[in-house]
Amino acid sequence: EVQLVQSGTEVKKPGESLRISCKVSGTSFTSQWIFWVRQMPGKGLEWMGRIDPSDSKTNYGPSFQGHVSMSADKSISTAYLHWSNLRTSDTAMYYCAAGDDWIGFDIWGQGTVVTVSS
Amino acid sequence: SYELTQPPSVSVSPGQTAKITCSGDALPRQYTYWYQQRPGQAPVLVIYKDTERPSGIPARFSGSSSGTTVTLTISGAQAEDEADYYCQSADSSATIVFGGGTRLTVL
């Protein structure tokens, strides 16, 4: 069974950095695309970007380019989403998802809540 | 920027058929995917590549496509189907786009 397990709830201050994780099991990590999706409180789904763990090639959504980065560690089948300068507007639920092509999200993680507040 | 348009809400009585539409200019050229999100839960894929149903998804869920509109149909809706539904596709530059979501009420 393919599973994506995300890291736990984070509470940070504006300007701080953060890395959240998504561990993949039950499938070949390098055969999957890993996607990140934001859901702000009470709002819809927004695509942040994707990474190909086989070569760490990334594509970012226009609204997120330059504000977040994505990485992957093949040795532990884990993908990461990074911020270097958090804003209060980054407060949201963040989901990772995996798929075997570049467009569809076959399976989702449970989500990570990030709260940014002074 | 490219947009996918969904109705904000759809209501259906138990056992009736619910149809949720998603419109976008590029839909004839890219596959559409549908996700169900129950309150407090992560999304779940219910239809992929316009019409395909993943294993474990009930047969009452189906997808269809016609021109610039795709449709998610739930035949014989049940109370457990009450959720938000999102369509998703991509534009010509491979940027992924979600529709705004449709709240399905079964009452």
PDB file of all heavy atoms in Angstrom, chain A residues 83-96:
ATOM      1  N   TRP A  83      10.657  26.941   3.381  1.00  0.00           N
ATOM      2  CA  TRP A  83      10.503  28.379   3.360  1.00  0.00           C
ATOM      3  C   TRP A  83      11.724  28.996   4.051  1.00  0.00           C
ATOM      4  O   TRP A  83      12.153  28.497   5.096  1.00  0.00           O
ATOM      5  CB  TRP A  83       9.280  28.847   4.146  1.00  0.00           C
ATOM      6  CG  TRP A  83       7.942  28.502   3.609  1.00  0.00           C
ATOM      7  CD1 TRP A  83       7.113  29.304   2.881  1.00  0.00           C
ATOM      8  CD2 TRP A  83       7.214  27.283   3.823  1.00  0.00           C
ATOM      9  NE1 TRP A  83       5.925  28.660   2.616  1.00  0.00           N
ATOM     10  CE2 TRP A  83       5.968  27.423   3.193  1.00  0.00           C
ATOM     11  CE3 TRP A  83       7.494  26.095   4.486  1.00  0.00           C
ATOM     12  CZ2 TRP A  83       4.995  26.421   3.189  1.00  0.00           C
ATOM     13  CZ3 TRP A  83       6.547  25.090   4.493  1.00  0.00           C
ATOM     14  CH2 TRP A  83       5.321  25.255   3.851  1.00  0.00           C
ATOM     15  N   SER A  84      12.227  30.096   3.520  1.00  0.00           N
ATOM     16  CA  SER A  84      13.327  30.790   4.193  1.00  0.00           C
ATOM     17  C   SER A  84      12.860  32.057   4.903  1.00  0.00           C
ATOM     18  O   SER A  84      13.593  32.603   5.738  1.00  0.00           O
ATOM     19  CB  SER A  84      14.411  31.153   3.175  1.00  0.00           C
ATOM     20  OG  SER A  84      13.870  31.989   2.174  1.00  0.00           O
ATOM     21  N   ASN A  85      11.655  32.520   4.599  1.00  0.00           N
ATOM     22  CA  ASN A  85      11.178  33.781   5.156  1.00  0.00           C
ATOM     23  C   ASN A  85       9.653  33.713   5.256  1.00  0.00           C
ATOM     24  O   ASN A  85       8.941  34.167   4.359  1.00  0.00           O
ATOM     25  CB  ASN A  85      11.614  34.950   4.275  1.00  0.00           C
ATOM     26  CG  ASN A  85      11.185  36.300   4.825  1.00  0.00           C
ATOM     27  OD1 ASN A  85      10.784  36.410   5.989  1.00  0.00           O
ATOM     28  ND2 ASN A  85      11.256  37.332   4.008  1.00  0.00           N
ATOM     29  N   LEU A  86       9.156  33.090   6.319  1.00  0.00           N
ATOM     30  CA  LEU A  86       7.719  32.885   6.455  1.00  0.00           C
ATOM     31  C   LEU A  86       6.963  34.191   6.637  1.00  0.00           C
ATOM     32  O   LEU A  86       7.465  35.152   7.238  1.00  0.00           O
ATOM     33  CB  LEU A  86       7.434  31.962   7.644  1.00  0.00           C
ATOM     34  CG  LEU A  86       7.704  30.480   7.426  1.00  0.00           C
ATOM     35  CD1 LEU A  86       7.813  29.770   8.761  1.00  0.00           C
ATOM     36  CD2 LEU A  86       6.639  29.861   6.550  1.00  0.00           C
ATOM     37  N   ARG A  87       5.736  34.195   6.121  1.00  0.00           N
ATOM     38  CA  ARG A  87       4.818  35.319   6.261  1.00  0.00           C
ATOM     39  C   ARG A  87       3.573  34.826   6.985  1.00  0.00           C
ATOM     40  O   ARG A  87       3.253  33.633   6.946  1.00  0.00           O
ATOM     41  CB  ARG A  87       4.399  35.846   4.888  1.00  0.00           C
ATOM     42  CG  ARG A  87       5.514  36.113   3.910  1.00  0.00           C
ATOM     43  CD  ARG A  87       4.944  36.259   2.507  1.00  0.00           C
ATOM     44  NE  ARG A  87       5.975  36.485   1.499  1.00  0.00           N
ATOM     45  CZ  ARG A  87       5.799  36.285   0.201  1.00  0.00           C
ATOM     46  NH1 ARG A  87       4.626  35.879  -0.252  1.00  0.00           N
ATOM     47  NH2 ARG A  87       6.783  36.520  -0.644  1.00  0.00           N
ATOM     48  N   THR A  88       2.837  35.736   7.580  1.00  0.00           N
ATOM     49  CA  THR A  88       1.594  35.322   8.222  1.00  0.00           C
ATOM     50  C   THR A  88       0.635  34.707   7.204  1.00  0.00           C
ATOM     51  O   THR A  88      -0.150  33.809   7.541  1.00  0.00           O
ATOM     52  CB  THR A  88       0.908  36.511   8.918  1.00  0.00           C
ATOM     53  OG1 THR A  88       0.705  37.567   7.970  1.00  0.00           O
ATOM     54  CG2 THR A  88       1.775  37.027  10.073  1.00  0.00           C
ATOM     55  N   SER A  89       0.724  35.153   5.952  1.00  0.00           N
ATOM     56  CA  SER A  89      -0.151  34.612   4.909  1.00  0.00           C
ATOM     57  C   SER A  89       0.211  33.179   4.517  1.00  0.00           C
ATOM     58  O   SER A  89      -0.498  32.560   3.719  1.00  0.00           O
ATOM     59  CB  SER A  89      -0.122  35.509   3.668  1.00  0.00           C
ATOM     60  OG  SER A  89       1.193  35.650   3.184  1.00  0.00           O
ATOM     61  N   ASP A  90       1.290  32.639   5.049  1.00  0.00           N
ATOM     62  CA  ASP A  90       1.633  31.230   4.812  1.00  0.00           C
ATOM     63  C   ASP A  90       0.872  30.288   5.739  1.00  0.00           C
ATOM     64  O   ASP A  90       0.985  29.068   5.625  1.00  0.00           O
ATOM     65  CB  ASP A  90       3.136  31.006   4.984  1.00  0.00           C
ATOM     66  CG  ASP A  90       3.949  31.689   3.902  1.00  0.00           C
ATOM     67  OD1 ASP A  90       3.538  31.624   2.722  1.00  0.00           O
ATOM     68  OD2 ASP A  90       5.000  32.271   4.231  1.00  0.00           O
ATOM     69  N   THR A  91       0.087  30.824   6.639  1.00  0.00           N
ATOM     70  CA  THR A  91      -0.732  30.007   7.526  1.00  0.00           C
ATOM     71  C   THR A  91      -1.730  29.201   6.695  1.00  0.00           C
ATOM     72  O   THR A  91      -2.562  29.762   5.972  1.00  0.00           O
ATOM     73  CB  THR A  91      -1.483  30.885   8.535  1.00  0.00           C
ATOM     74  OG1 THR A  91      -0.530  31.499   9.414  1.00  0.00           O
ATOM     75  CG2 THR A  91      -2.478  30.065   9.351  1.00  0.00           C
ATOM     76  N   ALA A  92      -1.630  27.881   6.776  1.00  0.00           N
ATOM     77  CA  ALA A  92      -2.436  27.021   5.915  1.00  0.00           C
ATOM     78  C   ALA A  92      -2.186  25.556   6.258  1.00  0.00           C
ATOM     79  O   ALA A  92      -1.314  25.231   7.052  1.00  0.00           O
ATOM     80  CB  ALA A  92      -2.086  27.249   4.442  1.00  0.00           C
ATOM     81  N   MET A  93      -2.979  24.705   5.635  1.00  0.00           N
ATOM     82  CA  MET A  93      -2.706  23.270   5.603  1.00  0.00           C
ATOM     83  C   MET A  93      -1.924  22.999   4.324  1.00  0.00           C
ATOM     84  O   MET A  93      -2.277  23.508   3.254  1.00  0.00           O
ATOM     85  CB  MET A  93      -4.017  22.483   5.589  1.00  0.00           C
ATOM     86  CG  MET A  93      -3.844  20.981   5.415  1.00  0.00           C
ATOM     87  SD  MET A  93      -3.261  20.185   6.892  1.00  0.00           S
ATOM     88  CE  MET A  93      -4.852  19.979   7.760  1.00  0.00           C
ATOM     89  N   TYR A  94      -0.888  22.193   4.432  1.00  0.00           N
ATOM     90  CA  TYR A  94      -0.075  21.827   3.273  1.00  0.00           C
ATOM     91  C   TYR A  94      -0.123  20.322   3.082  1.00  0.00           C
ATOM     92  O   TYR A  94       0.132  19.545   4.005  1.00  0.00           O
ATOM     93  CB  TYR A  94       1.367  22.300   3.458  1.00  0.00           C
ATOM     94  CG  TYR A  94       1.477  23.807   3.438  1.00  0.00           C
ATOM     95  CD1 TYR A  94       1.317  24.547   4.603  1.00  0.00           C
ATOM     96  CD2 TYR A  94       1.675  24.494   2.243  1.00  0.00           C
ATOM     97  CE1 TYR A  94       1.360  25.929   4.576  1.00  0.00           C
ATOM     98  CE2 TYR A  94       1.727  25.877   2.213  1.00  0.00           C
ATOM     99  CZ  TYR A  94       1.561  26.590   3.382  1.00  0.00           C
ATOM    100  OH  TYR A  94       1.603  27.965   3.350  1.00  0.00           O
ATOM    101  N   TYR A  95      -0.468  19.938   1.869  1.00  0.00           N
ATOM    102  CA  TYR A  95      -0.535  18.524   1.519  1.00  0.00           C
ATOM    103  C   TYR A  95       0.574  18.179   0.529  1.00  0.00           C
ATOM    104  O   TYR A  95       0.844  18.953  -0.399  1.00  0.00           O
ATOM    105  CB  TYR A  95      -1.863  18.187   0.849  1.00  0.00           C
ATOM    106  CG  TYR A  95      -3.078  18.298   1.725  1.00  0.00           C
ATOM    107  CD1 TYR A  95      -3.941  19.383   1.627  1.00  0.00           C
ATOM    108  CD2 TYR A  95      -3.404  17.292   2.639  1.00  0.00           C
ATOM    109  CE1 TYR A  95      -5.079  19.481   2.418  1.00  0.00           C
ATOM    110  CE2 TYR A  95      -4.539  17.381   3.438  1.00  0.00           C
ATOM    111  CZ  TYR A  95      -5.358  18.480   3.320  1.00  0.00           C
ATOM    112  OH  TYR A  95      -6.485  18.568   4.104  1.00  0.00           O
ATOM    113  N   CYS A  96       1.178  17.010   0.702  1.00  0.00           N
ATOM    114  CA  CYS A  96       1.949  16.436  -0.383  1.00  0.00           C
ATOM    115  C   CYS A  96       1.085  15.375  -1.050  1.00  0.00           C
ATOM    116  O   CYS A  96       0.135  14.847  -0.448  1.00  0.00           O
ATOM    117  CB  CYS A  96       3.269  15.836   0.105  1.00  0.00           C
ATOM    118  SG  CYS A  96       3.124  14.419   1.208  1.00  0.00           S
TER     119      CYS A  96
END
